[in-house]
Amino acid sequence: MLLAVDVGNTQTVLGVYEGERLVEHWRLATERTRTGDELGVLLGGMLDFESVDGICLSSTVPTLIREWVRLAERWAQAPVLVVGPGVKTGIPIRYDDPREVGPDRIVNSVAAKARYGAPVIVVDFGTSTNFDVVSPAGEYVGGVLAPGIETSMEALFARAARLVKVDYVEPPSVIGKTTVGGLQSGVVYGFAGQVDGIVTAIRGELGVEARVIATGGLAELVAPHSSTIESVDPFLTLDGLRLVWEANA
């Protein structure tokens, strides 16, 4: 089995594949100080390391890469592929400096191209809201980076003494009748409007009506209120890791 691991700044998503089938998945908090042994103990209660034939890793936290490699060597005793420069992805990268592109953005684009065709735009709701663009020619041509939902709201709460933290849920109405309702409306409709505005601008620059696929932890909250998002694919990144692993097998 393949263990696909996407280490983000806030959360780590893991999935176990048997061939093309995702058989199990988990979402954990990313702890930057965790060691390989701590990861081994944690994952040992979730999966059987003896059944793991390989690990494909994408990490936006450089300090954790060596700890995951340590886990692969000591606990899983399986080969590990770290997505980065020099790794085959199957997608041409038309970026001024390809080394600057986050590995999660690349694997998202690989999966979106394979599953939905080109052109396609991926909107990933994470610590930042990433827009990644695959051109009609099937090339990764860049994208847009915007503050993420939780990042934006935490900054707002830190600077506004009278505002309180709220649950990220759909508000009962656009016009908030309470402070909580107003904040929730701002999250849902504000970020949906941001997505639609950026997607419209990207489509105008591409000159085509590219499909829009959303992924990430809060995608299902925003997507129903966006006029441009066509579908939500919660496991897009994991599937991209599987495809990259197969391309380098």
Side-chain angles (χ1 to χ4, degrees):
M1 295 192 299
L2 171 68
L3 175 62
V5 183
D6 174 38
V7 181
N9 289 295
T10 306
Q11 295 184 335
T12 297
V13 182
L14 307 95
V16 174
Y17 281 90
E18 286 184 356
E20 297 182 0
R21 188 169 67 93
L22 180 65
V23 296
E24 187 57 275
H25 58 87
W26 305 271
R27 186 179 292 270
L28 312 172
T30 297
E31 298 289 347
R32 295 168 185 260
T33 57
R34 272 192 179 136
T35 67
D37 288 336
E38 288 174 322
L39 291 169
V41 172
L42 178 63
L43 266 65
M46 299 158 56
L47 56 84
D48 177 12
F49 281 121
E50 291 186 0
S51 66
V52 176
D53 301 313
I55 299 174
C56 192
L57 172 70
S58 162
S59 177
T60 58
V61 185
T63 56
L64 285 176
I65 294 176
R66 64 175 178 268
E67 302 304 331
W68 278 98
V69 171
R70 224 170 258 168
L71 173 139
E73 293 173 346
R74 179 173 180 180
W75 291 79
Q77 297 180 0
V80 58
L81 175 67
V82 180
V83 179
V87 171
K88 296 178 184 177
T89 61
I91 187 170
I93 301 175
R94 309 303 183 201
Y95 208 74
D96 288 350
D97 186 354
R99 293 170 298 180
E100 292 182 353
V101 187
D104 54 332
R105 301 177 66 189
I106 297 300
V107 296
N108 277 346
S109 301
V110 168
K113 177 184 174 183
R115 300 183 72 165
Y116 303 99
V120 65
I121 301 167
V122 178
V123 185
D124 188 350
F125 293 91
T127 305
S128 60
T129 303
N130 299 341
F131 297 75
D132 292 297
V133 184
V134 178
S135 72
E139 301 171 332
Y140 177 82
V141 293
V144 176
L145 299 175
I149 293 175
E150 292 179 277
T151 304
S152 298
M153 297 306 289
E154 286 171 4
L156 177 61
F157 298 142
R159 296 179 67 90
R162 297 188 62 180
L163 296 183
V164 295
K165 291 188 176 182
V166 298
D167 293 330
Y168 297 122
V169 297
E170 184 174 350
S173 62
V174 178
I175 302 173
K177 303 297 185 183
T178 63
T179 301
V180 169
L183 286 167
Q184 290 170 335
S185 182
V187 168
V188 172
Y189 295 100
F191 279 88
Q194 179 194 67
V195 168
D196 292 342
I198 291 175
V199 165
T200 299
I202 290 172
R203 285 173 168 173
E205 196 164 292
L206 283 178
V208 293
E209 288 292 306
R211 295 190 66 179
V212 181
I213 310 301
T215 192
L218 293 174
E220 292 184 355
L221 174 64
V222 177
H225 305 280
S226 164
S227 61
T228 55
I229 294 174
E230 297 182 32
S231 59
V232 176
D233 191 333
F235 305 118
L236 189 71
T237 312
L238 294 181
D239 211 47
L241 287 166
R242 176 185 64 81
L243 291 168
V244 170
W245 174 267
E246 292 174 355
N248 288 270

